[in-house]
């Protein structure tokens, strides 16, 4: 765990900016001590790294939050998109440098505006935003969240962990067992009732995230015992077939 000052020194992001990210829900600390100190684990730092890459690509903070919080968000896929965007940005800068050198060598008579064209980069960025930040599921989750009180949101989260605890108690059974599959159905319904319409496709993606995302895995295993997150993934995979 690192304190906010240690994260600031490590990343170059000011303490004030980290506090702002916390306030808007973009990067919450992993833990807040009784004394009020923010602490960040490696999972939080990986999220910060992704935030900073999107910031380098000129994504607004609100859009970054929408992307990272999207139910369909895939960190590995996001990195592929970030690399592609950075390559397009590099190509754009190289074209500008080339143009500037031509102007220097040939004088102000060199008239070429193609190097200023950002169409490809902007189109690709729009596709990335559409992939996660503007999904129907995210919009629905955002709208439902506005209609709920903090207590209702808290209770929905607690019930979700209770369902994982109940699922964890069934780990000795096969993922295909009727009792296990019924519990997966309850989880899907709970997500639909409280967050967004959880289709089988979305549920399957969530199942993969439960086992792959370290923070999610820790929380689910804490609720249902070690191995619950992976058991949930396997049971969801069977359910969605």
């Amino acid at each position: 765990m690192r304190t906010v000052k240690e994260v600031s020194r490590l990343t170059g992001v000011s303490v004030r900016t980290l506090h702002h990210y916390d306030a808007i829900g973009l990067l919450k600390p992993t833990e807040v001590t009784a004394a009020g100190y923010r602490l960040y684990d490696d999972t939080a730092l990986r999220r910060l790294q992704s935030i900073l890459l999107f910031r380098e690509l000129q994504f607004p903070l609100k859009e970054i939050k929408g992307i990272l919080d999207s139910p369909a968000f895939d960190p590995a896929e996001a990195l592929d998109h970030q690399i592609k965007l950075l390559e397009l940005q590099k190509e754009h800068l190289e074209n500008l440098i080339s143009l500037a050198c031509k102007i220097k060598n040939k004088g102000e008579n060199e008239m070429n505006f193609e190097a200023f064209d950002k169409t490809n980069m902007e189109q690709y960025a729009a596709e990335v935003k559409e992939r996660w930040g503007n999904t129907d599921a995210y919009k629905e989750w955002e709208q439902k969240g506005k209609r709920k009180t903090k207590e209702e949101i808290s209770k929905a989260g607690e019930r979700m962990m209770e369902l994982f605890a109940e699922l964890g108690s069934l780990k000795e059974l096969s993922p295909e067992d009727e009792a296990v599959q019924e519990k997966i159905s309850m989880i899907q319904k709970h997500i639909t009732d409280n967050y967004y319409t959880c289709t089988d496709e979305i549920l399957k993606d969530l199942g993969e995230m439960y086992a792959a995302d370290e923070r999610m895995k820790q929380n689910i295993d804490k609720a249902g015992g070690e191995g619950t997150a992976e058991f949930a993934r396997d049971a969801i995979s069977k359910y969605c077939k």
Side-chain angles (χ1 to χ4, degrees), residues 78-96:
L79 188 58
D80 286 338
H81 288 309
Q82 288 168 334
I83 291 170
K84 176 64 175 178
L85 282 166
L86 287 167
E87 287 173 345
L88 289 171
Q89 189 177 70
K90 177 186 175 184
E91 182 182 347
H92 176 68
L93 289 173
E94 286 174 344
N95 289 338
L96 287 175

Side-chain angles (χ1 to χ4, degrees), residues 52-72:
L52 296 179
L53 279 170
F54 277 123
R55 287 297 289 152
E56 286 293 329
L57 294 164
Q58 308 301 313
F59 278 54
L61 293 179
K62 184 177 180 180
E63 291 180 356
I64 296 173
K65 185 177 185 301
I67 290 171
L68 299 183
D69 290 345
S70 168

Side-chain angles (χ1 to χ4, degrees), residues 209-220:
M209 288 173 62
Y210 292 156
D213 185 285
E214 195 58 36
R215 183 176 293 185
M216 282 188 175
K217 187 174 185 294
Q218 287 177 2
N219 288 337
I220 292 170

Side-chain angles (χ1 to χ4, degrees), residues 4 12-24 48 52 61:
V4 68
V13 179
S14 70
V15 171
R16 182 176 180 180
T17 296
L18 291 170
H19 286 177
H20 178 60
Y21 287 176
D22 181 9
I24 65 175
L48 177 58
L52 296 179
L61 293 179

